[in-house]
Amino acid sequence: ITATKANFNLLIVAILWAGTFPIIKEAVAAIDPYLFVSIRFSLAALLFILLIVKKLPSFDKKLIISGIILGTLNAIAYTSQTIGLQYI
């Protein structure tokens, strides 16, 4: 991949990521932030499992535990951010 294409891809990801903030702000005005994060993470987990179901048996225990720890930390950070959007 060229540097130009990598930079373009990074720009697209940043635009998509930034575009979620107004959507999340509107969503947490209508529903509880904890419910919103729970639904969003559950849908993402289901999609992810469908994508990796064939590779799952080859994952070792250390990788799965690391993923659970990082996922938990990410959920805490994301929940905090989502709650914060209620007050902006």
Side-chain angles (χ1 to χ4, degrees):
I1 189 168
T2 65
T4 303
K5 186 171 183 176
N7 287 335
F8 177 74
N9 290 343
L10 184 59
L11 177 65
I12 296 300
V13 169
I15 290 169
L16 290 172
W17 173 73
T20 64
F21 281 92
I23 296 166
I24 294 167
K25 186 174 171 115
E26 291 298 318
V28 296
I31 64 172
D32 180 66
Y34 294 105
L35 177 61
F36 178 79
V37 172
S38 296
I39 292 170
R40 189 166 181 185
F41 269 70
S42 296
L43 290 173
L46 287 173
L47 179 63
F48 185 69
I49 287 170
L50 291 174
L51 293 173
I52 66 158
V53 72
K54 292 179 183 176
K55 296 179 182 180
L56 197 55
S58 66
F59 291 164
D60 64 352
K61 187 177 179 179
K62 183 178 178 185
L63 181 65
I64 292 172
I65 291 171
S66 297
I68 290 169
I69 291 169
L70 290 173
T72 302
L73 292 172
N74 187 40
I76 292 168
Y78 190 77
T79 302
S80 300
Q81 173 182 305
T82 303
I83 291 169
L85 284 173
Q86 285 184 306
Y87 301 104
I88 294 179

